Amino acid sequence: MGNSSTKLAVIGASSMVGSRFCEQQNKFPLVKADLNGEISVDLTKPDSLEDFFKKYEFGAIILFSAFTDVDAAEKERNNKNGIAWKINVKGVEEITRLCKEYSRKLIFISTDFVFDGESGPYAEDDGIGKNLEKISWYGITKINAEQKIKELTTNYLIVRIAYPYRSRFLEKDDFAKQILKKFNEGTLYPMFTDQIITPTYIDDIEPAINLLLEKNSQGIFHVASPTPTTPFAFAENLLTKFGKDSKLLKEGSLVDLLKNNTVTPRPVSGGLLVDKISNLGITLASWQDGITKIFEDSQGQLI
């Protein structure tokens, strides 16, 4: 895949992360597909996926499409007939099978939610799962997807990201935009001071994937802030940068919140370590630098 004339298929080309990847990409020609796109692909329909592989030539396929609503997925917990499982596990299994059959490389976007949050930030080779009671159903679907990929092919990249945010994107609220929007509305919930996260500046994903493709890398890589933070510190910095009164921020505790068994599990000591990809020569944005970049790119108008 080092050849820049080799086409790269993108499923989820209009998604929050996928659309930015496509905007930035100028190294590989793209075959862009979406559920409702010009090229339509439905992850829940094997025939749709098979047709896509038969019809289009590409050396690798990157899967941005996923069921990512963590709280909605939780309502389907243990339901393997639910839409979250159908998209995030069965769809991935089918794509992986087709990648092997057609000799295509698979790039799968995964998440820090595959970890239980007992001892993060985590390296790529740290064991995923472990205490499943502390992992959301969304996270469990991603764990199963990763396992299916490893079982079915050796020609893959699993790229884990965490709490992604980007410059202005009107179609969906990301981690940063959600904070700003709710703050402006006066509905911002208390931000956790006891949760460890490493938010991903979305613009870092495209150069990271390009490098991994050029080097024909295989396996799992993390793309996230090289320095950890808390949601409270992130929100405080973000609000200050965008000219808001961060003194109005309220402090919250994820540990306390999770004592309520009706709340969707989230990693407490979470986050991703990025030494593996940094050692290949990629400089990833710290969460502070990422906030500065989205402020400058959006000219202070993220929402």
Side-chain angles (χ1 to χ4, degrees):
M1 195 60 202
N3 185 346
S4 60
S5 66
T6 305
K7 285 187 177 174
L8 178 60
V10 179
I11 295 187
S14 67
S15 66
M16 184 178 73
V17 179
S19 63
R20 186 60 184 145
F21 177 89
C22 292
E23 286 166 11
Q24 291 174 274
Q25 183 59 249
N26 57 20
K27 191 159 199 70
F28 299 103
L30 299 178
V31 180
K32 297 190 278 190
D34 263 305
L35 179 61
N36 300 310
E38 195 173 316
I39 301 173
S40 177
V41 171
D42 188 337
L43 290 177
T44 66
K45 294 181 178 168
D47 288 351
S48 169
L49 294 168
E50 180 106 41
D51 288 347
F52 182 71
F53 274 78
K54 281 180 180 170
K55 196 168 179 183
Y56 297 98
E57 281 296 321
F58 46 87
I61 184 166
I62 179 164
L63 182 58
F64 288 108
S65 289
F67 190 96
T68 58
D69 187 329
V70 179
D71 291 325
E74 197 60 25
K75 290 171 184 164
E76 299 181 356
R77 195 172 185 92
N78 299 321
N79 178 9
K80 294 186 178 179
N81 293 313
I83 191 68
W85 188 271
K86 283 180 179 173
I87 292 172
N88 290 358
V89 183
K90 300 305 289 183
V92 173
E93 184 178 3
E94 185 63 20
I95 282 179
T96 310
R97 186 188 68 73
L98 289 164
C99 281
K100 186 165 178 62
E101 183 182 331
Y102 286 82
S103 300
R104 313 276 170 86
K105 188 184 192 89
L106 173 62
I107 303 117
F108 177 66
I109 304 298
S110 195
T111 171
D112 62 326
F113 277 43
V114 297
F115 296 106
D116 60 19
E118 292 190 344
S119 57
Y122 295 92
E124 286 83 352
D125 56 0
D126 285 332
I128 57 176
K130 297 192 178 173
N131 189 347
L132 293 183
E133 287 181 9
K134 293 195 171 185
I135 298 177
S136 64
W137 184 240
Y138 163 72
I140 289 169
T141 66
K142 288 292 200 173
I143 288 169
N144 280 272
E146 287 192 14
Q147 288 170 339
K148 291 288 182 192
I149 290 165
K150 290 182 207 170
E151 286 168 16
L152 294 170
T153 185
T154 55
N155 191 14
Y156 69 84
L157 287 167
I158 291 171
V159 178
R160 294 192 190 122
I161 63 174
Y163 292 91
Y165 64 99
R166 60 173 286 182
S167 300
R168 203 156 189 210
F169 181 70
L170 299 178
E171 286 78 4
K172 187 179 179 185
D173 293 350
D174 59 33
F175 182 52
K177 193 159 128 189
Q178 211 170 50
I179 293 169
L180 278 170
K181 189 182 264 188
K182 287 185 180 298
F183 182 85
N184 283 355
E185 292 167 351
T187 59
L188 185 61
Y189 34 77
M191 301 301 293
F192 304 132
T193 57
D194 57 359
Q195 183 189 21
I196 302 300
I197 60 172
T198 51
T200 298
Y201 174 53
I202 287 174
D203 284 31
D204 282 345
I205 296 169
E206 183 262 354
I209 288 174
N210 281 359
L211 180 73
L212 293 172
L213 288 173
E214 285 161 26
K215 292 182 176 290
N216 202 26
S217 300
Q218 316 277 355
I220 302 172
F221 293 86
H222 292 169
V223 177
S225 167
T227 50
T229 185
T230 65
F232 183 87
F234 184 91
E236 189 174 42
N237 186 303
L238 177 75
L239 292 172
T240 301
K241 178 64 73 175
F242 278 80
K244 312 293 181 184
D245 185 1
S246 63
K247 293 190 187 68
L248 297 174
L249 258 185
K250 296 185 182 76
E251 295 187 4
S253 166
L254 180 57
V255 173
D256 287 348
L257 187 66
L258 291 174
K259 289 172 184 170
N260 177 347
N261 290 331
T262 64
V263 173
T264 304
R266 280 171 169 74
V268 177
S269 292
L272 302 170
L273 297 173
V274 296
D275 299 6
K276 186 176 176 183
I277 198 163
S278 297
N279 289 339
L280 293 178
I282 283 283
T283 302
L284 298 167
S286 69
W287 61 274
Q288 299 99 322
D289 288 344
I291 287 172
T292 298
K293 287 177 179 181
I294 64 168
F295 176 77
E296 290 171 352
D297 291 347
S298 304
Q299 298 177 309
Q301 296 294 317
L302 196 59
I303 53 177

